[in-house]
Amino acid sequence: MAHYDFYLIGSYSSSEFRAVRDAISRCLQFAGVEQSDVGVYTRFDSNGKHHDGMRPIVVACFKDISENDMKVLDQLRNRRVPIIPLRRKRESFTDFPGEIQMLNGIEFRNERKFCNHIANSMLDAVGLLREQRRIFISYRRTESTNVAVQLFNHLSASGFEVFLDTHRIRPSVDFQESLRHHLCDSDVLVMLDTPNYFESRWTVEEFGRAQSSNIHILRLVWPYHKPTHSTGLSETVELKLTDFKNGQLTDKVQDTVVEVTRNMRAKSIASRHTLLSGKLRAGVEHCGGRVVGVGAFRAIAVEVPRKPPIWVYPVVGVPTSYTMNNIVLRAKNSKHMKPFLIFDEFGISKPWLDHLEWLNERVPEVDLMRASDASNEISRR
């Protein structure tokens, strides 16, 4: 049975449907999600069983929505179900009915990169990826600052939250601790591999920590430069002189970076989720327990002898109070008892870990659990 329901509503051709469906299938594969876990539907069922709040759902809709479907969409909006309007090239979002036109939408074209963007957004909306789309740019200031700033602007305009040291670290802040904290909360490291990239202690550490944390690396290799270091978890784009104009990347290369980054992000999150789930399983088995299943939002059902069963939600990156609130709501909708949140504390700054401890003491509806302390935490429950 599917754990997630994806709807494509409105007026569209069979080729447009296939393009979106195939993009969803590709994105699920990148994200390490079984195809059978996601149901893709073209209409709302009459008895409402597929949109009764028991499973996560997301709706992507073209214009010309039927009156009956619009009634269902109004109900879903009231429940804060994510709805994504899809606008064709010559259409306007004002063509959509009612309050749907007020929602932030996506341009649709029957092209792979546009459909991939839609599919990634749908997976984000139901928690199969992360709501945050965080990218870390690693570079040598003496060699590639102009390109780093250019990519910062282009990736930001494409919907990513981008970390660039010159833009995000305030004066007086511990530089090294801030780099580590932002890196562990990023999905992809975009590495500007210039000839002297590995001559800096900062870039060496960023590259090494990304690898040790299973954060995937997009490596942009400068012309005539031969990489000499390990490229595990990385994808390489070999740049040519013609890829530059006036010292900056051409529009075509920038668009390639965006497209590759979207796909790598799904793979990176899946890889880190698998690593985190493995740490949880090891902790559970150390306590004599076992993992008995997986539910919506990738929640993991755990049984430990002489204790009630629990649901554990692995969280990739840095947890926040917003994350905790979302997990409480997701557990409630899924009829799970008090949920547990497990996260990998490697790289998270000491002040933020202290903040999480403070939050954990004051939010009784959910419990935080460090991956390194999973067995002890589970034993105490």
Side-chain angles (χ1 to χ4, degrees), residues 205-235:
E205 180 173 347
E206 289 161 12
F207 183 84
R209 279 184 168 265
Q211 287 194 312
S212 62
S213 300
N214 269 33
I215 297 170
H216 287 223
I217 300 167
L218 173 55
R219 197 168 191 171
L220 304 182
V221 181
W222 252 234
Y224 306 120
H225 169 53
K226 280 192 173 182
T228 56
H229 289 68
S230 170
T231 57
L233 298 177
S234 69
E235 187 161 332

PDB file of all heavy atoms in Angstrom, residues 205-235:
ATOM      1  N   GLU A 205      39.245  21.044   4.876  1.00  0.00           N
ATOM      2  CA  GLU A 205      38.318  20.572   5.907  1.00  0.00           C
ATOM      3  C   GLU A 205      36.897  20.455   5.364  1.00  0.00           C
ATOM      4  O   GLU A 205      36.190  19.488   5.663  1.00  0.00           O
ATOM      5  CB  GLU A 205      38.326  21.512   7.113  1.00  0.00           C
ATOM      6  CG  GLU A 205      37.361  21.045   8.201  1.00  0.00           C
ATOM      7  CD  GLU A 205      37.466  21.844   9.480  1.00  0.00           C
ATOM      8  OE1 GLU A 205      38.442  22.606   9.637  1.00  0.00           O
ATOM      9  OE2 GLU A 205      36.563  21.706  10.327  1.00  0.00           O
ATOM     10  N   GLU A 206      36.466  21.418   4.565  1.00  0.00           N
ATOM     11  CA  GLU A 206      35.118  21.374   4.001  1.00  0.00           C
ATOM     12  C   GLU A 206      34.932  20.126   3.136  1.00  0.00           C
ATOM     13  O   GLU A 206      33.929  19.411   3.256  1.00  0.00           O
ATOM     14  CB  GLU A 206      34.863  22.641   3.176  1.00  0.00           C
ATOM     15  CG  GLU A 206      34.715  23.903   4.005  1.00  0.00           C
ATOM     16  CD  GLU A 206      34.933  25.178   3.209  1.00  0.00           C
ATOM     17  OE1 GLU A 206      34.977  25.099   1.961  1.00  0.00           O
ATOM     18  OE2 GLU A 206      35.051  26.249   3.836  1.00  0.00           O
ATOM     19  N   PHE A 207      35.925  19.855   2.288  1.00  0.00           N
ATOM     20  CA  PHE A 207      35.857  18.687   1.414  1.00  0.00           C
ATOM     21  C   PHE A 207      35.833  17.401   2.241  1.00  0.00           C
ATOM     22  O   PHE A 207      35.016  16.499   2.002  1.00  0.00           O
ATOM     23  CB  PHE A 207      37.050  18.698   0.462  1.00  0.00           C
ATOM     24  CG  PHE A 207      37.063  17.578  -0.542  1.00  0.00           C
ATOM     25  CD1 PHE A 207      36.353  17.698  -1.728  1.00  0.00           C
ATOM     26  CD2 PHE A 207      37.785  16.410  -0.307  1.00  0.00           C
ATOM     27  CE1 PHE A 207      36.362  16.671  -2.665  1.00  0.00           C
ATOM     28  CE2 PHE A 207      37.794  15.384  -1.236  1.00  0.00           C
ATOM     29  CZ  PHE A 207      37.080  15.510  -2.417  1.00  0.00           C
ATOM     30  N   GLY A 208      36.712  17.309   3.217  1.00  0.00           N
ATOM     31  CA  GLY A 208      36.799  16.096   4.039  1.00  0.00           C
ATOM     32  C   GLY A 208      35.548  15.869   4.869  1.00  0.00           C
ATOM     33  O   GLY A 208      35.058  14.736   4.985  1.00  0.00           O
ATOM     34  N   ARG A 209      35.010  16.930   5.451  1.00  0.00           N
ATOM     35  CA  ARG A 209      33.808  16.782   6.272  1.00  0.00           C
ATOM     36  C   ARG A 209      32.598  16.419   5.421  1.00  0.00           C
ATOM     37  O   ARG A 209      31.721  15.668   5.875  1.00  0.00           O
ATOM     38  CB  ARG A 209      33.540  18.061   7.066  1.00  0.00           C
ATOM     39  CG  ARG A 209      34.393  18.160   8.317  1.00  0.00           C
ATOM     40  CD  ARG A 209      34.072  19.373   9.153  1.00  0.00           C
ATOM     41  NE  ARG A 209      34.719  19.262  10.451  1.00  0.00           N
ATOM     42  CZ  ARG A 209      34.145  18.794  11.546  1.00  0.00           C
ATOM     43  NH1 ARG A 209      32.891  18.412  11.513  1.00  0.00           N
ATOM     44  NH2 ARG A 209      34.804  18.715  12.685  1.00  0.00           N
ATOM     45  N   ALA A 210      32.525  16.961   4.222  1.00  0.00           N
ATOM     46  CA  ALA A 210      31.419  16.591   3.337  1.00  0.00           C
ATOM     47  C   ALA A 210      31.462  15.088   3.043  1.00  0.00           C
ATOM     48  O   ALA A 210      30.436  14.402   3.088  1.00  0.00           O
ATOM     49  CB  ALA A 210      31.487  17.392   2.044  1.00  0.00           C
ATOM     50  N   GLN A 211      32.649  14.571   2.765  1.00  0.00           N
ATOM     51  CA  GLN A 211      32.775  13.141   2.492  1.00  0.00           C
ATOM     52  C   GLN A 211      32.431  12.302   3.714  1.00  0.00           C
ATOM     53  O   GLN A 211      31.705  11.310   3.607  1.00  0.00           O
ATOM     54  CB  GLN A 211      34.196  12.828   2.029  1.00  0.00           C
ATOM     55  CG  GLN A 211      34.509  13.305   0.615  1.00  0.00           C
ATOM     56  CD  GLN A 211      35.788  12.672   0.085  1.00  0.00           C
ATOM     57  OE1 GLN A 211      36.808  12.654   0.755  1.00  0.00           O
ATOM     58  NE2 GLN A 211      35.725  12.147  -1.130  1.00  0.00           N
ATOM     59  N   SER A 212      32.937  12.683   4.883  1.00  0.00           N
ATOM     60  CA  SER A 212      32.702  11.885   6.091  1.00  0.00           C
ATOM     61  C   SER A 212      31.246  11.944   6.537  1.00  0.00           C
ATOM     62  O   SER A 212      30.786  11.044   7.244  1.00  0.00           O
ATOM     63  CB  SER A 212      33.616  12.360   7.227  1.00  0.00           C
ATOM     64  OG  SER A 212      33.349  13.702   7.570  1.00  0.00           O
ATOM     65  N   SER A 213      30.507  12.981   6.115  1.00  0.00           N
ATOM     66  CA  SER A 213      29.098  13.121   6.495  1.00  0.00           C
ATOM     67  C   SER A 213      28.144  12.621   5.412  1.00  0.00           C
ATOM     68  O   SER A 213      26.929  12.786   5.530  1.00  0.00           O
ATOM     69  CB  SER A 213      28.784  14.591   6.803  1.00  0.00           C
ATOM     70  OG  SER A 213      29.578  15.070   7.874  1.00  0.00           O
ATOM     71  N   ASN A 214      28.680  12.021   4.343  1.00  0.00           N
ATOM     72  CA  ASN A 214      27.868  11.524   3.224  1.00  0.00           C
ATOM     73  C   ASN A 214      27.130  12.636   2.484  1.00  0.00           C
ATOM     74  O   ASN A 214      26.086  12.413   1.878  1.00  0.00           O
ATOM     75  CB  ASN A 214      26.865  10.463   3.697  1.00  0.00           C
ATOM     76  CG  ASN A 214      27.443   9.065   3.610  1.00  0.00           C
ATOM     77  OD1 ASN A 214      28.635   8.858   3.785  1.00  0.00           O
ATOM     78  ND2 ASN A 214      26.599   8.090   3.348  1.00  0.00           N
ATOM     79  N   ILE A 215      27.673  13.855   2.552  1.00  0.00           N
ATOM     80  CA  ILE A 215      27.126  14.954   1.772  1.00  0.00           C
ATOM     81  C   ILE A 215      27.730  14.872   0.374  1.00  0.00           C
ATOM     82  O   ILE A 215      28.951  14.870   0.226  1.00  0.00           O
ATOM     83  CB  ILE A 215      27.452  16.313   2.424  1.00  0.00           C
ATOM     84  CG1 ILE A 215      26.803  16.407   3.797  1.00  0.00           C
ATOM     85  CG2 ILE A 215      27.010  17.473   1.535  1.00  0.00           C
ATOM     86  CD1 ILE A 215      27.263  17.597   4.622  1.00  0.00           C
ATOM     87  N   HIS A 216      26.904  14.812  -0.639  1.00  0.00           N
ATOM     88  CA  HIS A 216      27.422  14.640  -1.998  1.00  0.00           C
ATOM     89  C   HIS A 216      28.052  15.936  -2.503  1.00  0.00           C
ATOM     90  O   HIS A 216      27.663  17.035  -2.098  1.00  0.00           O
ATOM     91  CB  HIS A 216      26.315  14.166  -2.930  1.00  0.00           C
ATOM     92  CG  HIS A 216      25.936  12.737  -2.702  1.00  0.00           C
ATOM     93  ND1 HIS A 216      25.702  11.849  -3.732  1.00  0.00           N
ATOM     94  CD2 HIS A 216      25.780  12.015  -1.567  1.00  0.00           C
ATOM     95  CE1 HIS A 216      25.409  10.657  -3.239  1.00  0.00           C
ATOM     96  NE2 HIS A 216      25.445  10.744  -1.920  1.00  0.00           N
ATOM     97  N   ILE A 217      29.014  15.767  -3.391  1.00  0.00           N
ATOM     98  CA  ILE A 217      29.845  16.883  -3.848  1.00  0.00           C
ATOM     99  C   ILE A 217      29.720  17.041  -5.355  1.00  0.00           C
ATOM    100  O   ILE A 217      29.917  16.078  -6.106  1.00  0.00           O
ATOM    101  CB  ILE A 217      31.323  16.643  -3.472  1.00  0.00           C
ATOM    102  CG1 ILE A 217      31.488  16.508  -1.957  1.00  0.00           C
ATOM    103  CG2 ILE A 217      32.207  17.769  -4.012  1.00  0.00           C
ATOM    104  CD1 ILE A 217      32.846  15.971  -1.525  1.00  0.00           C
ATOM    105  N   LEU A 218      29.378  18.241  -5.784  1.00  0.00           N
ATOM    106  CA  LEU A 218      29.408  18.577  -7.206  1.00  0.00           C
ATOM    107  C   LEU A 218      30.710  19.320  -7.461  1.00  0.00           C
ATOM    108  O   LEU A 218      30.925  20.418  -6.955  1.00  0.00           O
ATOM    109  CB  LEU A 218      28.218  19.462  -7.590  1.00  0.00           C
ATOM    110  CG  LEU A 218      28.237  20.016  -9.025  1.00  0.00           C
ATOM    111  CD1 LEU A 218      28.371  18.890 -10.054  1.00  0.00           C
ATOM    112  CD2 LEU A 218      27.005  20.852  -9.301  1.00  0.00           C
ATOM    113  N   ARG A 219      31.565  18.702  -8.249  1.00  0.00           N
ATOM    114  CA  ARG A 219      32.922  19.203  -8.452  1.00  0.00           C
ATOM    115  C   ARG A 219      33.030  19.888  -9.815  1.00  0.00           C
ATOM    116  O   ARG A 219      32.903  19.239 -10.856  1.00  0.00           O
ATOM    117  CB  ARG A 219      33.894  18.027  -8.361  1.00  0.00           C
ATOM    118  CG  ARG A 219      35.335  18.388  -8.137  1.00  0.00           C
ATOM    119  CD  ARG A 219      36.126  17.143  -7.778  1.00  0.00           C
ATOM    120  NE  ARG A 219      37.458  17.474  -7.309  1.00  0.00           N
ATOM    121  CZ  ARG A 219      38.285  16.596  -6.766  1.00  0.00           C
ATOM    122  NH1 ARG A 219      37.925  15.335  -6.628  1.00  0.00           N
ATOM    123  NH2 ARG A 219      39.484  16.966  -6.358  1.00  0.00           N
ATOM    124  N   LEU A 220      33.223  21.204  -9.820  1.00  0.00           N
ATOM    125  CA  LEU A 220      33.416  21.958 -11.053  1.00  0.00           C
ATOM    126  C   LEU A 220      34.918  22.151 -11.244  1.00  0.00           C
ATOM    127  O   LEU A 220      35.553  22.934 -10.525  1.00  0.00           O
ATOM    128  CB  LEU A 220      32.708  23.311 -10.970  1.00  0.00           C
ATOM    129  CG  LEU A 220      31.203  23.284 -10.647  1.00  0.00           C
ATOM    130  CD1 LEU A 220      30.637  24.698 -10.652  1.00  0.00           C
ATOM    131  CD2 LEU A 220      30.453  22.402 -11.623  1.00  0.00           C
ATOM    132  N   VAL A 221      35.485  21.424 -12.197  1.00  0.00           N
ATOM    133  CA  VAL A 221      36.929  21.397 -12.378  1.00  0.00           C
ATOM    134  C   VAL A 221      37.343  22.451 -13.407  1.00  0.00           C
ATOM    135  O   VAL A 221      36.845  22.465 -14.537  1.00  0.00           O
ATOM    136  CB  VAL A 221      37.405  20.003 -12.839  1.00  0.00           C
ATOM    137  CG1 VAL A 221      38.921  19.991 -12.994  1.00  0.00           C
ATOM    138  CG2 VAL A 221      36.961  18.936 -11.836  1.00  0.00           C
ATOM    139  N   TRP A 222      38.256  23.314 -13.027  1.00  0.00           N
ATOM    140  CA  TRP A 222      38.712  24.407 -13.882  1.00  0.00           C
ATOM    141  C   TRP A 222      39.473  23.870 -15.110  1.00  0.00           C
ATOM    142  O   TRP A 222      40.074  22.788 -15.047  1.00  0.00           O
ATOM    143  CB  TRP A 222      39.611  25.327 -13.068  1.00  0.00           C
ATOM    144  CG  TRP A 222      38.984  26.655 -12.727  1.00  0.00           C
ATOM    145  CD1 TRP A 222      39.497  27.902 -12.982  1.00  0.00           C
ATOM    146  CD2 TRP A 222      37.742  26.891 -12.062  1.00  0.00           C
ATOM    147  NE1 TRP A 222      38.646  28.878 -12.535  1.00  0.00           N
ATOM    148  CE2 TRP A 222      37.549  28.278 -11.970  1.00  0.00           C
ATOM    149  CE3 TRP A 222      36.738  26.045 -11.563  1.00  0.00           C
ATOM    150  CZ2 TRP A 222      36.422  28.862 -11.390  1.00  0.00           C
ATOM    151  CZ3 TRP A 222      35.609  26.608 -10.982  1.00  0.00           C
ATOM    152  CH2 TRP A 222      35.476  27.998 -10.912  1.00  0.00           C
ATOM    153  N   PRO A 223      39.455  24.601 -16.203  1.00  0.00           N
ATOM    154  CA  PRO A 223      40.160  24.162 -17.418  1.00  0.00           C
ATOM    155  C   PRO A 223      41.642  23.883 -17.164  1.00  0.00           C
ATOM    156  O   PRO A 223      42.302  24.608 -16.422  1.00  0.00           O
ATOM    157  CB  PRO A 223      39.981  25.354 -18.374  1.00  0.00           C
ATOM    158  CG  PRO A 223      38.757  26.057 -17.894  1.00  0.00           C
ATOM    159  CD  PRO A 223      38.742  25.883 -16.404  1.00  0.00           C
ATOM    160  N   TYR A 224      42.120  22.791 -17.751  1.00  0.00           N
ATOM    161  CA  TYR A 224      43.530  22.379 -17.692  1.00  0.00           C
ATOM    162  C   TYR A 224      43.987  21.968 -16.288  1.00  0.00           C
ATOM    163  O   TYR A 224      45.183  21.805 -16.047  1.00  0.00           O
ATOM    164  CB  TYR A 224      44.454  23.491 -18.223  1.00  0.00           C
ATOM    165  CG  TYR A 224      44.089  23.981 -19.592  1.00  0.00           C
ATOM    166  CD1 TYR A 224      43.756  25.321 -19.806  1.00  0.00           C
ATOM    167  CD2 TYR A 224      44.057  23.112 -20.676  1.00  0.00           C
ATOM    168  CE1 TYR A 224      43.405  25.768 -21.070  1.00  0.00           C
ATOM    169  CE2 TYR A 224      43.707  23.549 -21.947  1.00  0.00           C
ATOM    170  CZ  TYR A 224      43.379  24.880 -22.132  1.00  0.00           C
ATOM    171  OH  TYR A 224      43.016  25.322 -23.377  1.00  0.00           O
ATOM    172  N   HIS A 225      43.048  21.816 -15.368  1.00  0.00           N
ATOM    173  CA  HIS A 225      43.407  21.392 -14.014  1.00  0.00           C
ATOM    174  C   HIS A 225      43.044  19.929 -13.838  1.00  0.00           C
ATOM    175  O   HIS A 225      41.921  19.519 -14.124  1.00  0.00           O
ATOM    176  CB  HIS A 225      42.679  22.246 -12.979  1.00  0.00           C
ATOM    177  CG  HIS A 225      42.788  21.719 -11.575  1.00  0.00           C
ATOM    178  ND1 HIS A 225      44.008  21.431 -10.983  1.00  0.00           N
ATOM    179  CD2 HIS A 225      41.831  21.431 -10.648  1.00  0.00           C
ATOM    180  CE1 HIS A 225      43.786  20.981  -9.751  1.00  0.00           C
ATOM    181  NE2 HIS A 225      42.482  20.976  -9.532  1.00  0.00           N
ATOM    182  N   LYS A 226      43.992  19.112 -13.368  1.00  0.00           N
ATOM    183  CA  LYS A 226      43.748  17.695 -13.136  1.00  0.00           C
ATOM    184  C   LYS A 226      43.521  17.457 -11.650  1.00  0.00           C
ATOM    185  O   LYS A 226      44.422  17.678 -10.840  1.00  0.00           O
ATOM    186  CB  LYS A 226      44.939  16.854 -13.614  1.00  0.00           C
ATOM    187  CG  LYS A 226      44.962  16.616 -15.106  1.00  0.00           C
ATOM    188  CD  LYS A 226      45.975  15.541 -15.453  1.00  0.00           C
ATOM    189  CE  LYS A 226      45.882  15.174 -16.934  1.00  0.00           C
ATOM    190  NZ  LYS A 226      46.826  14.095 -17.258  1.00  0.00           N
ATOM    191  N   PRO A 227      42.328  16.979 -11.253  1.00  0.00           N
ATOM    192  CA  PRO A 227      42.083  16.684  -9.836  1.00  0.00           C
ATOM    193  C   PRO A 227      43.033  15.613  -9.330  1.00  0.00           C
ATOM    194  O   PRO A 227      43.306  14.636 -10.023  1.00  0.00           O
ATOM    195  CB  PRO A 227      40.633  16.179  -9.831  1.00  0.00           C
ATOM    196  CG  PRO A 227      40.047  16.700 -11.099  1.00  0.00           C
ATOM    197  CD  PRO A 227      41.162  16.738 -12.090  1.00  0.00           C
ATOM    198  N   THR A 228      43.542  15.805  -8.111  1.00  0.00           N
ATOM    199  CA  THR A 228      44.516  14.862  -7.563  1.00  0.00           C
ATOM    200  C   THR A 228      44.025  14.174  -6.309  1.00  0.00           C
ATOM    201  O   THR A 228      44.687  13.278  -5.804  1.00  0.00           O
ATOM    202  CB  THR A 228      45.830  15.592  -7.223  1.00  0.00           C
ATOM    203  OG1 THR A 228      45.545  16.669  -6.320  1.00  0.00           O
ATOM    204  CG2 THR A 228      46.472  16.147  -8.479  1.00  0.00           C
ATOM    205  N   HIS A 229      42.866  14.597  -5.777  1.00  0.00           N
ATOM    206  CA  HIS A 229      42.354  14.019  -4.544  1.00  0.00           C
ATOM    207  C   HIS A 229      41.162  13.103  -4.823  1.00  0.00           C
ATOM    208  O   HIS A 229      40.563  13.130  -5.899  1.00  0.00           O
ATOM    209  CB  HIS A 229      41.941  15.120  -3.563  1.00  0.00           C
ATOM    210  CG  HIS A 229      43.111  15.852  -2.975  1.00  0.00           C
ATOM    211  ND1 HIS A 229      43.927  16.679  -3.729  1.00  0.00           N
ATOM    212  CD2 HIS A 229      43.601  15.880  -1.710  1.00  0.00           C
ATOM    213  CE1 HIS A 229      44.859  17.188  -2.952  1.00  0.00           C
ATOM    214  NE2 HIS A 229      44.684  16.728  -1.726  1.00  0.00           N
ATOM    215  N   SER A 230      40.802  12.318  -3.801  1.00  0.00           N
ATOM    216  CA  SER A 230      39.694  11.379  -3.903  1.00  0.00           C
ATOM    217  C   SER A 230      38.405  12.100  -4.272  1.00  0.00           C
ATOM    218  O   SER A 230      38.143  13.214  -3.823  1.00  0.00           O
ATOM    219  CB  SER A 230      39.512  10.649  -2.572  1.00  0.00           C
ATOM    220  OG  SER A 230      38.322   9.913  -2.559  1.00  0.00           O
ATOM    221  N   THR A 231      37.579  11.456  -5.104  1.00  0.00           N
ATOM    222  CA  THR A 231      36.334  12.077  -5.537  1.00  0.00           C
ATOM    223  C   THR A 231      35.117  11.269  -5.105  1.00  0.00           C
ATOM    224  O   THR A 231      34.090  11.265  -5.772  1.00  0.00           O
ATOM    225  CB  THR A 231      36.313  12.230  -7.068  1.00  0.00           C
ATOM    226  OG1 THR A 231      36.498  10.940  -7.672  1.00  0.00           O
ATOM    227  CG2 THR A 231      37.397  13.178  -7.537  1.00  0.00           C
ATOM    228  N   GLY A 232      35.207  10.560  -3.981  1.00  0.00           N
ATOM    229  CA  GLY A 232      34.068   9.801  -3.495  1.00  0.00           C
ATOM    230  C   GLY A 232      32.873  10.696  -3.250  1.00  0.00           C
ATOM    231  O   GLY A 232      33.003  11.833  -2.814  1.00  0.00           O
ATOM    232  N   LEU A 233      31.672  10.170  -3.531  1.00  0.00           N
ATOM    233  CA  LEU A 233      30.413  10.894  -3.370  1.00  0.00           C
ATOM    234  C   LEU A 233      30.366  12.170  -4.198  1.00  0.00           C
ATOM    235  O   LEU A 233      29.636  13.100  -3.874  1.00  0.00           O
ATOM    236  CB  LEU A 233      30.169  11.243  -1.887  1.00  0.00           C
ATOM    237  CG  LEU A 233      30.027  10.078  -0.913  1.00  0.00           C
ATOM    238  CD1 LEU A 233      29.872  10.593   0.511  1.00  0.00           C
ATOM    239  CD2 LEU A 233      28.856   9.193  -1.283  1.00  0.00           C
ATOM    240  N   SER A 234      31.150  12.235  -5.253  1.00  0.00           N
ATOM    241  CA  SER A 234      31.167  13.465  -6.042  1.00  0.00           C
ATOM    242  C   SER A 234      30.780  13.193  -7.482  1.00  0.00           C
ATOM    243  O   SER A 234      30.910  12.086  -7.996  1.00  0.00           O
ATOM    244  CB  SER A 234      32.545  14.120  -5.991  1.00  0.00           C
ATOM    245  OG  SER A 234      33.503  13.351  -6.685  1.00  0.00           O
ATOM    246  N   GLU A 235      30.262  14.230  -8.115  1.00  0.00           N
ATOM    247  CA  GLU A 235      29.985  14.208  -9.545  1.00  0.00           C
ATOM    248  C   GLU A 235      30.776  15.350 -10.158  1.00  0.00           C
ATOM    249  O   GLU A 235      30.817  16.454  -9.593  1.00  0.00           O
ATOM    250  CB  GLU A 235      28.494  14.370  -9.811  1.00  0.00           C
ATOM    251  CG  GLU A 235      28.134  14.192 -11.273  1.00  0.00           C
ATOM    252  CD  GLU A 235      26.663  13.898 -11.461  1.00  0.00           C
ATOM    253  OE1 GLU A 235      26.045  13.316 -10.537  1.00  0.00           O
ATOM    254  OE2 GLU A 235      26.136  14.237 -12.534  1.00  0.00           O
TER     255      GLU A 235
END
